[in-house]
Each structure stands twice: as C-alpha cells, then as structure tokens.
Amino acid sequence: CKKERWLKSYARVWLPNALEVWKPAELTKDYSPGDRVLFLQLEDGTDVEYKIDPQTKRLPPLRNPDILVGENDLTALSYLHEPAVLHNLKVRFVESKMIYTYCGIVLVAINPYESLPIYDHDIIHAYSGQNMGDMDPHIFAVAEEAYKQMARDERNQSVIVSGESGAGKTVSAKYAMRYFATVSGSSCETNVEEKVLASNPIMEAIGNAKTTRNDNSSRFGKYIEIGFDKNYRIIGANMRTYLLEKSRVVFQAAEERNYHIFYQLCASSHLPEFKALKLGSADDFLCTGQGGIPVIEGVDDTKEMRSTRKAFSLLGISETQQMGVFQILAALLHLGNVEVKEGTMDSSAILNNHLMVFCELMGVAYEDMSHWLCHRKLKTTTETYVKPLPKAHAVNARDALAKHIYAKVFSWIVDRINESLRSAIKQRSFIGVLDIYGFETFDINSFEQFCINYANEKLQQQFNMHVFKLEQEEYMKEDIPWTLIDFYDNQPCINLIEAKMGVLDLLDEECKMPKGSDDTWAQKLYNTFLKKSEIFDKPRMSNKAFIIHHFADKVEYQCEGFLEKNKDTVNEEQINVLKLSKFDLLVELFRDEETAAPTGRTKTTRPGQAQRDNKKTVGTQFRNSLNLLMETLNGTTPHYVRCIKPNDHKSPFTLDPIRAVQQLRACGVLETIRISAAGFPSRWTYQEFFSRYRVLMKQKDILSDMKLTCKNVLEKWVKDHDKYQFGKNKIFFRAGQVAYLEKLRSDRLRKACVRIQKTIRCWLARKRFLRMRRAAVTIQKHARGYLARCRVAFLRRTRAAVVIQKNQRMLAARRRYQDLRCAAVIMQRLLRAYQARQTYCKLLYEHKVLIVQRWVRGWLARRRYQRSLRAVVYLQSCVRRMAARRELKKLKVEARSVEHFKKLNVGMENKIMQLQRKVDEQIKENRELGERLSSTERSWAAESERLGREVERLRGAEEESRVAAEKLPSLLEQLSFLRQELETTRGEKEAVQEEARAYREENEKVVSELNEKNSLLMTEKENLTQLIQEQSQQIAGKWKTMKEWLDRDLSEERRRYQSLLSEYAQLEGRYADLKEEMTLTVVRNTGKPGHTREDSSYSSNGSEGTFSSGLSGSQGRNSSAESHSSTRRSSDMSVLLKLQRRVTELEQEKQTLQRHLDKREEVQEDHARTAAELKTAGRAELDLVALKRQELESENKRLKTDLAELRQSLATVSKSASAKTPSSPGPGSAPYNVLLEQLDSANEELEIRKEEVLLLRSHLVRQEATLWNTTFDQNCMVLKVFYFEDGGCLGCCLTTPDYHTLNEDGELWLAYEGLKETNRVLVSQLQMQDRDHEEGLEELRVEVCRLREENSQQQQLISQSLLLPPEGRVDAGLQHEITRLTNCNLVGSLRYTVTNHLAMMPDLMEQQGKQDKMIRKLKKQLKTYMNRMEEYEGQVERVVPDPEPGTPGRITRKERDFKGMLEYRRGDESKLLKGLVLELKPRGVAVNLLPGLPAYILFMCLRHADYCNDDQRVSTLLNSTINSIKGLIKKKGSDFETVSFWLANTCRLLHCLKQYSGEEPFVKQNTPRQNKHCLTNFDLSEYRQLLNDLAVQVYQQLVKSMEETLLPMIVPGMLEHETIQGVLGSKPTGLRKRTSSLPGEAVYTVDSIIQQLSLFHATLTQHDVDHDLIKQVVRQLFYITCSVTLNNLLLRKEMCSWSKGLQIRYNVWQLEEWLDEHGLSGCGAKEMLEPLIQAAQLLQVKKKTEEDAQAICTMCSALTTPQIVKVLNLYTPVIEFEERVPTSFIKTIQVLLKDRVESPQLLMDAKKIFSVTFSFTPSSLALETIQIPSSLNLGFLTRV
C-alpha cells in the first residue's frame, strides 16, 4: 500500500532490462489499485507500458531521490534493492571515479583497471586514527578499523577479501598488509613487515597465472596471520594456503598461461647461472606453450625474475636453495616435454631425450625413472606384479608426477617463508588477511569449481550470521523490539556437500572402490539426492553431470575427472626413485612425508595421525582445512572486502551492469542489503534528525527535550508507528521512510520557497508600481508645465501677430504712398530733364561753333608763326656751324692731352669692378658645394686675382700712358683683348656653373646614399642596443633565478639539516631507552637487592657527558651485567638474544645515519666548490691576510696596554709601600726585575715574530680552505648523486660489518660519540660553507662596484680629454696609460707575492705551530703574573697601616663594581643544572622570574670559567647544559609550557654567546660596558652551533606538542561544527562511526582553535620568545591547520558542498581576524591558508560553462590538478536545488590544466615542518644588574 501511494504521476521507478539489467523510467499516469498496466516514459522520451503480474501484483521498485544517489554507504539509501545498489555503484565508479563503497559492514571494491594515486604514505597517515565512517570508503579504512579494534578490544581480527578472478583480491590484500606494516610503527626496529610484503612477489610467481579473465589470477587461497606484540607492532606472520590448482602445471586452456615462475625462468635462461638448466624459449616447452600466449603485455618476465630472487634473499633463502628450486622447476619443464609412444600389448615407451635431462637435473637414474613412467607395480596379498601401462595411463602418470613435485616445491617454499616470518617474541594478537577465490561458474565446471563454491558457501554462512548478529546487537543496544528477520540460510547446501553421506563422502567412497568411476559416482548421487534434496538437480540432457543450487546461482558440474582429481594419486615407485636422488633439496622435499611441516591443506593434520592423513583424499583434506579456517574466523572479528570485476575487457572505469549484478549476487552484498532492508536500515541520531528535518517543525513544536520533539514530529507526519522505532540514541526507520521524509522536507522547502518568492515578487511588484506611479506624476507635472508654457507662447505669438499685422499694414500703406510720390517725382524729373537737355543741346551747339572758330583762327596764326620760325632757325644754324668748326679744331688739340685719356678710362674701371663683384658673388654661391666645387672656386679666385693684377697692370700702364701717349693704340688693342677675355671668362663661368650643377646633383645622390646607410646603421645600432638590453635583462633574470635557486637550495638544505637533527634526536632518545631497558633487564634478571636508580632525565644527562666518563660508566655497567648474566646464562638466554638483536639493529641505524652524514658532507662540498668558483683567489687571500694582521695588531696592542698598566700599578704600589715595606717587590728588586725582563723578552719576541705569524696564519687559513673545498666538493658530489638518484632516501653504500663481533663493553658508546663528533664536524662545515658563500658574494659586489668606478673614471677622462687641444689629448692619454700599467704591475706583483707565499707554506707550517704554542705560553704567563699582581695589591692594602695624626688623610680604595660573572666551584655543575634546569617549574617559580633568567645565569657562570681560562670547566658546563635540556625535553616533551620556556632560554643563551663573542657583526648594538664583558679566552663558535641545533630540536618538539594539542580540534572545528546555524543540513548516512564514536566526547569549534592559539601566543609572549620565532610558529600552525583540513576535505565526500564551503570561509575569516588582532598579519600565515580558501571558493563558484572552467583554473593557483578534480568529483548536493558537477565540465578542467607543472600528489604533507631560523636579538640588560632569586636555591653561586 505504501508503494501504491507513491505511484502517482511523475513518480520515478526502475524497469527490468535485458541489456542494462535495470532502466530508469517515470510514470505518466497515476496508478490505481487493480490496474494491469503502468504507463511509463524512459529517459530518452520513449513511452512504454509495463504489465503487472496478476498473481504477484509486484510493482516496479521505486528510485531514490537524487540527493541520496552516490552515497558512501549503500545502507544510507532510502530504498534498498538491487537497482538502487547498482545505480549508486555506477554513479560512484563511472562518474565520480570512486572505486570503494560501503555496504554496511562490507567494503565493495571495484577494479578500476588503472593506477590511482590513492595508496601513498600520506593517504595511509590520513586514514590512521580515523573512524571508519568519517572518511571516504577505502581499503585503508577497513584496515584501520581492524587495527583499532584489535588494540581496543584485545580481540583478533580478520580481513576477508573475496571476489572472482580479476576483481583485484590480491591487490586489496596487499594494500591491507602494507597499511598494517606502515601504521604499526615497527619499520624503525625490524624488517618483519618488509618480509611480509616480500612474500607477495614470491607467492605471485609460484601461485599466480594468466587466465582469460585476469593476467595475474591467484590459483590458490591463502590466509596470512600478521602477529603483533603488546605494543601492537608487527613481530611476525604465518601463511596458510588452500587448494593449489596443480592441474595448471600440465594443462592450460587457450589464451592462458602456466604459473609465472616458469616464464620467468625461460626469460632468464640467458644468464650464466641458468645455463646448466638447458632452458630456452617458453614456446619450446609443452607446459608453457599450450595457451598460445607466452608473453603478457606490459610485463617483463626478466625483471619479475629479479624481483622474485630479491624477495627470496630478503626472506633468508640462500642462493644455493634458490638455484635448487629453479633446478627442480626447470626439470618439470623438461618432464612435460617427455613424449610417450604406444607399444604393443598395451605398453608404452619414451621417445625423446627430455627425460634424460630431467633425470640429470633431478639427480636420479634414467633407467629407473623411464621404467616406472611406463610400468606400474600391483600388490596383492601374496604376490607383486609389474604391469606395463598404455600410453594414456603413462601420460597421466607423467602429469601426476609433475603436479606432485610442484605441490611439494610450493609447500616447501611456503614453509621457508613461514620460518622467516616466525618470531621468537610472544604474540599477543594477530590480524588475518584471507585472500580467497570467489564464487565461480563456467561453461564447464569441474572439481576445482566445486571446492571453491563449497568454500564460498561456508564463508557466506559465516557472513550472514555475522551480519545478523550485528543487526541484533544494534537493536538490543538501542532497546528496539527485536523481531526475527528471515534471511537465506545455506545450511542445507552445506549439509548436501559435507554432511555424512554427502557429496564428498560419496566421492571418497567411490574412490575406495576398485572399479569406481565417475559414471557410477554420478548414479549414486542421483539415487541419493535427486528425490530427497531440493537444491540438488539433474540436467535433462546429461547423465554425467549434476546441478547444485548455491546461494548465488545454480551451477552444473561435470562428473568427469572428479575421482582422479580427488584421489591425486602418484606412482609410489616414482616417488621412491626421487627419494634416492643425489639432489639434497629433492630428498628434503620427499623425506618423511608423514612428519613434514604442515602448510596449506596439511594444516588440519595432527602429529599422531600423520600416516593416516597422507591417505586422505583432496576433498577430505580441503574440508578439514576449511573447517579449521572457519574456526579461526569465528574466533576473530571479521571485516569483509568484496571485490567486483567491472567488465571482461579490462577497460578502465567502465561498468558492465550484467557482470556487476552477477558478482553482487554472488558475493553477498545484495543479501546484506536484503537483511538490512528487512529491519530498520535507516538510522539517525536525534541531533541529526532534528538538524535535517527542522523545517517540518513549528516553533511551538520545539521542546527542550530533543528526543520528545522528534517523537512529536514523527507522530504528526508518519501515522504508521511500525515504520519507525525510537532507540536510546537513534531513530530507526523502515525502508522508504527517509525518502518519504525527504519528500515532505522538499515539499515544505518548496512551499517555503514559493511563499518567499510570492513575498519577494509582491515586494518587487509594489516597488515597481510605486516607481511607475512616481514616474507618472513626474511625467504629468512636466507635461502640464509644457502645456502651460505652450499656452503662454501662443498668447505671445498672437499678440506679436497683431503688432506685426499693424506694422505690416502701416508699411504697406506707406509703401503705396511712397510709390505714388516716387512716381510723381520721377515724372517731374523726367520732364524737367527733357527740358534741360533741350536747353543744353542748344547751348552746346553754340559752344562748338565758337570752338571751331577758335581753332581755325589759331591754325592760321600758327602757320604764320612757323614760317617765320624756319627762317630764323636757318639763320642761326649757319652761324652755329661756323662756331663749331672753330671748336673742333680746339678739341683735336686737347685730345692729345693726359686728362682726356683719364676721362676715357673712368668707364673701364667701373666695368672691371663690376666684373670682380660678379666673380665674388659667383664664388660665394659656389662655396657651399663640396670639395670639387671648392677647387673650382679657387680657380675662379685665381682668375679674379689675375684680373686684379691685370687691373693693376692697367693702372701702371695708365701711369705709363701719361708718360707716353703714343702707346694708346696698344692700349686699345689690349682693351679689345680684355673684352675677349671677359667673354671667355663668361663662357668658363657658364661651364663651371654647369659642372657645379652636375656636382650638386652627384653630391645630393651621394648624400642620399649616405643617409640611407646612416639610417641602416642607426637601425642596426638600435637593434644592437635592444639586443644588449635583452641580454642584460636575461643576465639579470638568470642572476635572479640563480639567486632564487641558491636561496631555495639553502632553505632546502636547512630543512634537511633540521630533519637530520630531528632524526638524530630520535636516535638519541631510542638509544637512551634501549640502554635504560637493557639496564632494567639486567637488574631484573640479577635481582640484586637495594639497587636504586637515579632520576631518568638526570641519568640520561649523565650518560651523555664526556666520552671518558660515559665510556667508563657503560663499561662498568656492562661488566656487572656480564658477571650476573654469566651466573644465570641458561635462564637468561632469551633475554640476551633479544638484547643482542637490539644491539645489532642499533648498529644498523648508526651506520645508516653515518652514511647519511657522509652523503650530506659530499653535498656540502659540492656547494663549496660552486662557491669557490665564484670568488677570486687573490682578493680572498689578501682579505684573509688583512684580517689576521688586524687581529694580531689588536692583540699586540692589548698586551702592550696590559703591560703598561702592570708597570704603572707596580710603580704605584712600590711608591706607596716603599716607606713601610722595604722588602716588597718594588722597582729594582729581584722579583720585579725578573718580571720586567720576562715581559720585555716576551714583548720583543712578539714584535720579532709578528710578521712571521701573520704570514703563516694567512697561508694556513688558505691551505685549510683549499683542503676543505677539495674534500667538500668530493663528498658533496657523492651525496648529490645519492640524493637525486635515490629520491632523497638513504641507501646503503658502505660494507656491512660483522654484527656478531659487536660486544656490550662500550663499543656502542664509542660509536655514539663518534656519531656526535661527526655531527659537530658537519655543523662546522655548514657554517664554513655559509661564510665562504657570503664572502664570495661580497667580493663579487666589490668587484662590480670597482668596475663601475673605473668605467665612470674612463668616461670622465674621455670627456675631459675631448675638451683639450690635440697635444694635450696625447699627453693625457699617455699619462692614463702609464697609470693603468702601474696598477697592473702592482696587482701582478701582489699575485706573484701570494704565489711565492703559497709555495713557502709547507716549510712554514711547523714554524707557525711553534709560534702559536709560544703565544699561548706567553699569554698564560702574562695572566699568571696579572693574578699575582692582584694578589700582591690585596696584600699591600692589608699591610699599609693607618696614617698618623700629623700625616695627611689616607686614600680610600673604591669598592669594585660587579663584572657580571657568577663564580662556582668545580663539580657544582650538576647541582647548578639540577636546580636551574631539572627542578625549575615554568608554571610556578619561573612565571615570576626575569624572562630568560636561567640563560643569563648559565652565561654568567660561563663567563667566569672563561675568565679563569679553564677550558675543561667551560666544556663541562656547556655539555652538561645541552644534555640536561635534551633530557628535560625528552622527559617533558608533551608539556607545552616547559618546551616553550626552554626554547626561549636556549635562544637567549645562544644570543648571549653571540652578543658577547666579540665578533664585529654581533657587538654593533652593545654598550661600552657590555663590550667589556665579552669572552676573552675561548672561541665558542662550535658550541654556538650545538646550541643552535639544540634550539632546532626544542622548536621541533614545541611544534609537535602544539600539533598534538591542536590536531583533535582542527577537523571538528574547521569542518564538522556548524558555526553558522541553519546553513548546513546533514544528509542521510549509513553506519557512520559505528565502532569508535564514544558518547560524551568533547565538541570542538573554531572558537576552541582560536582560544588554543591565543593560549599558545600568550605563553610564548610570557616566556619572552623572539617575535620572529613566534611568527614562524604561527605560520607552522596555520600550515598544519590548512593541510589537515584540506586533506580531510579531499577524503570526505559529505563535506564537499556549497554550504560547507561557506562554513569554511567563515572559519578562515575568523582565523585571519585572530592574526590581525595579534599583529601577525605579515608572518606568512595567511598564505598558508590559501589552498583551503581556494578549495572553499571552488565549492561555491558556478561550475557549468567553459568560462567557469577558465575562471576556476585561474582562481585555484594554490591547488594541484588532482586536488581540483577530486573536489569536483566529490561535490555533493545537500539539497535538491543544487546540481552535481557534470563529467564534461571536469574533463574540460583537466584539459585546461594539463600543461601545469606541479606535484602529482593528492594530499598535502601534514607532517612537514618548515625550517626555522633564529635571528640574532641582542639584549640591553646589563649582566652586573642581574640578581639571583632565593627561590632558585643557588646560594653556592657568588657574584663577581
């Protein structure tokens, strides 16, 4: 009725389908009870009709809501049936690429046929310690659950892995064992887990083969028991095997192979050690060539052979034994090639020579073996017969012998593996991993399939009972009324097989019959079971087969071969021949078969029944071993893994529904679903139900009691009370109720959405109406205004029109008047003009008449006058002619005079001047031309000069003409000649002008060509300039890249070094633990009364003191242990063996660390070589020489100052005491003179040797640096190769010593001290490398600056020289060249001097050592004399009496100031450290102390030891301090306050050593008083490095302690807790947290994280930890928070939703606010959260279009491609309104990100600890002002 209620229109159902098994459809018409047909529509739009069976009336199953599809647990589905399970698996496998799914207590694993990055160590660590339901389904989750239950319940566990061939059983079992080996924590002390994992390649080689379904199919079953000790660490393992498929040795079907080991042997036959086996190709042998496919694609059998041999060696099987095994296997190949020919009288014979090779390899007689292969011995009561065998029986005998030998080899190898994995330590518990074949059904099923299905029937029964039991326990725990659930019981099938007179009994009985056959056995089966059992049936068309109805399916078995396979008989005579072999291994295989070690199926036998058990049939043995296995499984808590093969084509992520359903039915998953669905499969806690279905409640329904509230809601909405039950902590629902509640919730949400939409739409509509109304009013207002303005304008226009009309009419009238008036005036004018013209014409006529008269009269008068004038003129001309003649005569006389000639030459000079001016103008015009035009100008100038000279000549001629007038004709001739020359000059000028024009054109052409070339040159110059700029940019980029690479390399080296320090500290701790455990064990065994032990931390400190004390102590303890153990050797043998084994393991660890250190030295040397190439040797040498000279000069000055003060003090004392103490050593006294002589001699000696010491020291430093660089380069190169080739992991490069020669009398301590010394050398070398690198960089900078200065000087010199005249330029150039050559000569001479000094170095080494000794001796003498003088001063003060009354007042000595030192006696170091380190409590006493007071006190004590020049006291104090802090951190490493307190004090002590070291970089900020307190006698740079290493270890321990505190809060606070109430809503879940969730656990929120961070910050600030160090701590904590949160997000599907992204961003914002509040924004912590922020944004952004994909790729820069794809695959809608991410979108993302270069890892490294740096922070506190509180109980210290 429930389903009928649901079957309305648009209801979604599943329809059966032949191809897809189930197909989704949707109802198009409501269903009414009684309808015979359902009208449906498929997803492709096809309309179908589903007919309902009238008898069963079974309706199609309903589909789950989309929100429930893709769940991690199939039991979370509301409708639990086959189509829902299949669809959920398909969605997860095909779309989300998830291969694991929970089904209640079963893990369903689908083979992806593709390598997935989900099995790395980071994934293992992510699942370690997690609840099974908290993370996504995984094989590691099942393994963790088994491991956790073993540790918590102290009960053995079993992991049962089953499935058909090719489903991935072996791989799943392998990963489970790898998980146990990793999380057990035993990898540091033993290699048992490596041996367990190494057994896999061996068992795969001898037990796996290629089948048609799987390339690596296990042809046997195995059960591996992994043993654990009391600390739950792997100590051993044991393997049991079941039902090896021996028939595969002699027969393989088509496209199948024999066992892998045979093909590995054939592939390795070319090796020298295999030449004697006479092997060849796999095709040459019958046993390996029947399948036709001797090679598997992608598998290298030669490489697999090497892996197999390596595994053999790891498990302790010697090379001799390995070759023996390979020899036997090769003999089997030759035995398979033995051909048998048919003889006469049912006899047979051997044809080829392969039997001879077989006998040669097996070491047996050829005649005997060939005889018994073709004959058989028959025994009767009286006689024995030898009967020949026909060919078929002989072939069967050959195959039986081969199978028997292979089974023996298989058993022997399993025995050797078990012996190697067996442990002498008592096993506390174990976890069994069962890798067994699944249910099988083929076209032809034989005896092997019968046994396999029989085993699966037993396992299915145990599985059903376990599931039923868990359901019952859950109901009883929650007080739910228990009703019996009907489930399939396969006990009848099991009884049919194994009960008395069952199938197996009848088979054994038939085997005992003399003439028993398969046919008679089949008839017995028909007669016995055909009518009595419902699950037994007979095929219709066969009398040689039978059918059994198994739980998964009915299977038809062919009876042929059952008897032969069950008997498994071998000719005893053949076995006897093999027992007589000369081959020891073969004899061992067949020796005492009755008492051989049981493996596999022989495990069921007892020692007393060995003879009888050997006669048991295969079926009986298998039944007994199966019963033993079931007893073992029933004694453990089982965990089930069901492997599914998705398709038969091995296509990745392709699911064949038909094959999947077959396997789901066969493996029991559907049975689990059916059992769960029969009860209450859906279970909710009250809190989850309330959070999810809060929308179904009203405010008045919510009560204070959440349980009562949930009851009221369910009673309101679900009327049938049988559909749910209320438990103590959970609500149980029937199948389908969750879907109903989800529908109600969706309807309520939809109604709420509609109401919200209605309200919002109303608000929007009203808002739109009001906006329209305001717009309408505005429009009306503007329209009315516009109309009013138009009216006014109309009135104005009307008025204007009236005015215009008035004026227009007036104008028209006026115009008419004017026209009339004008017309009258014109008429009057025309009339008057006519009259005037008439009058004018009359007057004009009269005037013309008068003129004519006047001209006529004038002409007459002029004619008369002209006649008279001509007469007068004629008279005048006659007179004038006469006068002219007289004047001519006079002129002729004057022409011959000089003045006349001058007047003639005046015109010629003017013309000459004009010509000269024109020539000058022409010259001026041509001057602008080129060289050719200039020559023409010069020629024209010469011509002009010639003309000028000619003019001068003419002038001279003029002077001469004055003298001789007769030369006038010649002058005239010259004048004509000059005129001709002028014409010639004009022609030449025109020619010159033409040439100039041609030259100008040619010049312009040349100029244009030059311009083109110039442009080309400019372009080339620009290109070269650009190329130079690009090259400079490239060089700058390369330099920047190199710098970044060096910085990154330095950071990586620092991180590696600090990780080495961490490993070294762990080794120290483990060594101390082992030593303490050894001591306790010896004491416990000796049983000496009254033995007491010091405090653990203090004893550990003492054990790490000086070498001599530690060695003597260890020798004493070891000698006492040996004396006691020798008295009770027999009883303590096991303890001694254990100790010896631990010593061996410790030695191995020591050698591993030694190799690591050696490799690291090589890396450092490589870096030093790189740095050495960058620096200039000469400049570095000069710097070192200058540095040493300054040091010695300062030392000499200080000694001189001390000497002067000493002399002055002696003189003062002698003067003051001369009157009173005449015997005092004043000036002139013998002691005084001796002292002065010694001091003078010392001073002279120092002055003499000063230069030699300086030179020697500089050369010594140079030689040491060269030697160090050479060694460093060699070591560094080796280590770099080691790191890059082996992936950063340590390898074995040294020879392994003989561990058995290692005794217990101090060698371990010696090795440990050597290790510590090596570590110190490594630290010093690292410091030297850093210094060399910095010096090299500084020298390069100085060189660059020098070159820049020289360049600027050169440019300045060139610019100055350009301003000088040519002679000055030459002089300046010569002077500059002389200066340059002088500098070069100076540098060359300096280099030559340095070279000579280096050559003299070997000769001066000895002198340098002597000088150092002499200097130290003189310093000690000087200090001794200074102390004596101080004592003498004190004696003088005591001896001087009071002054007499008459004498002047006495001089009072001032009280001495404190020097900031604390004096203590030798041997008080332990008391000092006990009170200051071991017993100091940070929470009590240390809170009120001065920050860093213990560090100041220790440094003041150290200053006093340095002041006293006591090197032993200095080393003792520093070593004891370091060891005490280490011991305290080891003892109280989990106490955050203690660790942070000593981190602050360690850093402060380190800063004090630097601040008062006297080195230039550290004393810049010191006061003069602090500079006086610097250390004077010892260089403690090595101890500074040790303290730096100690600070690193304390910092790492601080991070670990903070991580331990913070880790439980991160996931609940950042992911699980709902900070924003109402945003999240939990979805229906399966059996989450069903094992490890405990009530009453603390609930953590993000506020808890912030409070803890605030507590950390307050404590660090209170202890005065450096602010920079606090920033690094916060950065590390935020990285841990981000990595843990993101890793859990990537492994938890239910956390990947839109609302969860909002929650994460809110939590991250709170963390960022905390950073801002504490001023830590710039510490880099926000950048650490960037991956988490981007993951949260990825959950919230739109994910549909390609633009969205590009935006995501741009946004998620801090996430890797696997992480982005994983988040998108895991994205899960929480409500129905969300959508899943399409597969096409994910593929688009992958395409866009394929070119990104990044790490392929999925998870972040949560264990990563960033390298820490301790920046120098000087203290302004004066040491002399420090007071020691009395609460510290340090009264034995005295302030100095």
Side-chain angles (χ1 to χ4, degrees), residues 1184-1200 1241-1259 1404 1407-1408 1410-1412 1414-1415 1418:
L1184 290 173
V1185 171
L1187 179 62
K1188 294 301 180 181
R1189 184 184 295 112
Q1190 291 177 2
E1191 291 180 356
L1192 288 178
E1193 286 177 357
S1194 62
E1195 182 68 18
N1196 193 13
K1197 290 180 181 178
R1198 189 177 63 81
L1199 291 176
K1200 287 182 178 180
S1241 63
N1243 191 13
E1244 292 174 358
E1245 185 70 15
L1246 287 175
E1247 291 291 334
I1248 293 172
R1249 301 297 183 184
K1250 182 176 66 174
E1251 295 298 329
E1252 296 179 358
V1253 170
L1254 288 173
L1255 185 60
L1256 289 173
R1257 283 197 175 184
S1258 63
H1259 294 325
L1404 300 178
Q1407 297 182 11
Q1408 193 269 343
K1410 293 180 180 180
Q1411 295 302 323
D1412 289 341
M1414 179 62 70
I1415 290 172
L1418 292 176

Side-chain angles (χ1 to χ4, degrees), residues 522-763:
Q523 293 300 323
K524 285 185 180 181
L525 291 178
Y526 299 154
N527 297 332
T528 306
F529 303 114
L530 193 56
K531 296 182 180 180
K532 296 180 181 179
S533 178
E534 297 180 354
I535 60 177
F536 183 88
D537 202 357
K538 175 181 176 300
R540 295 182 180 179
M541 306 301 293
S542 176
N543 292 325
K544 296 183 179 181
F546 61 94
I547 297 175
I548 296 179
H549 295 266
H550 292 282
F551 71 95
D553 199 358
K554 65 178 181 178
V555 182
E556 179 180 342
Y557 299 99
Q558 300 296 328
C559 297
E560 183 179 357
F562 262 72
L563 265 67
E564 185 66 27
K565 294 178 181 178
N566 188 43
K567 292 178 182 179
D568 194 20
T569 57
V570 183
N571 192 345
E572 294 182 3
E573 298 304 322
Q574 297 174 357
I575 301 300
N576 293 332
V577 173
L578 294 177
K579 288 181 179 180
L580 297 176
S581 171
K582 300 177 182 179
F583 190 13
D584 295 338
L585 180 59
L586 184 63
V587 175
E588 182 182 353
L589 293 180
F590 291 95
R591 182 190 302 129
D592 297 332
E593 291 185 346
E594 295 81 2
T595 60
T599 61
R601 55 184 182 277
T602 62
K603 281 283 183 180
T604 60
T605 62
R606 293 193 297 271
Q609 299 175 336
Q611 186 66 27
R612 187 168 63 248
D613 288 343
N614 280 332
K615 298 180 181 179
K616 288 182 179 179
T617 60
V618 175
T620 302
Q621 295 178 27
F622 183 72
R623 177 175 58 188
N624 294 337
S625 61
L626 188 59
N627 290 333
L628 179 61
L629 175 63
M630 298 311 300
E631 291 178 4
T632 304
L633 295 179
N634 291 331
T636 63
T637 300
H639 304 269
Y640 300 96
V641 179
R642 298 293 191 243
C643 299
I644 304 297
K645 184 177 181 181
N647 58 78
D648 294 329
H649 307 290
K650 302 176 185 177
S651 300
F653 291 105
T654 303
L655 186 67
D656 185 359
I658 299 177
R659 295 284 290 117
V661 168
Q662 290 176 356
Q663 296 174 75
L664 290 174
R665 294 169 181 170
C667 68
V669 173
L670 297 181
E671 186 65 21
T672 305
I673 293 297
R674 200 186 67 79
I675 294 175
S676 300
F680 297 92
S682 302
R683 299 153 194 185
W684 291 71
T685 63
Y686 289 101
Q687 178 62 42
E688 292 172 346
F689 181 84
F690 180 81
S691 300
R692 181 67 178 176
Y693 299 111
R694 171 67 177 81
V695 296
L696 299 179
M697 309 173 192
K698 296 182 179 179
Q699 188 63 34
K700 63 180 180 180
D701 296 335
I702 301 176
L703 306 176
S704 59
D705 188 358
M706 190 178 299
K707 185 175 182 179
L708 184 59
T709 303
C710 296
K711 285 183 179 181
N712 295 336
V713 171
L714 282 176
E715 291 175 356
K716 176 181 179 181
W717 293 101
V718 183
K719 303 300 182 181
D720 189 358
H721 295 272
D722 184 57
K723 300 299 182 182
Y724 58 88
Q725 291 289 341
F726 295 98
K728 291 181 179 180
N729 303 309
K730 299 179 182 178
I731 308 175
F732 291 73
F733 295 96
R734 296 279 188 188
Q737 293 306 306
V738 173
Y740 175 66
L741 292 174
E742 284 295 319
K743 181 179 181 301
L744 295 176
R745 181 177 182 272
S746 300
D747 294 341
R748 177 60 66 90
L749 289 175
R750 189 173 289 104
K751 291 180 181 178
C753 291
V754 170
R755 187 168 185 176
I756 293 172
Q757 289 176 353
K758 177 189 68 176
T759 306
I760 292 177
R761 288 172 179 171
C762 175
W763 177 76

Side-chain angles (χ1 to χ4, degrees), residues 1728-1772:
M1728 296 296 103
L1729 297 176
E1730 193 63 29
L1732 183 60
I1733 295 174
Q1734 293 181 7
Q1737 293 175 347
L1738 181 59
L1739 293 175
Q1740 291 187 292
V1741 297
K1742 184 181 177 183
K1743 298 177 275 290
K1744 288 185 178 181
T1745 62
E1746 186 174 356
E1747 289 76 11
D1748 300 336
Q1750 294 177 353
I1752 288 175
C1753 296
T1754 304
M1755 177 186 67
C1756 300
S1757 58
L1759 295 176
T1760 63
T1761 302
Q1763 291 173 347
I1764 297 174
V1765 175
K1766 183 70 173 179
V1767 171
L1768 294 177
N1769 281 325
L1770 293 179
Y1771 184 79
T1772 305

Side-chain angles (χ1 to χ4, degrees), residues 1068-1070 1072-1073 1100 1525-1533:
E1068 280 186 334
R1070 186 174 296 109
D1073 293 339
S1100 64
I1525 296 176
K1526 284 183 179 179
L1528 182 67
I1529 296 302
K1530 176 185 175 183
K1531 182 179 179 181
K1532 300 182 180 180

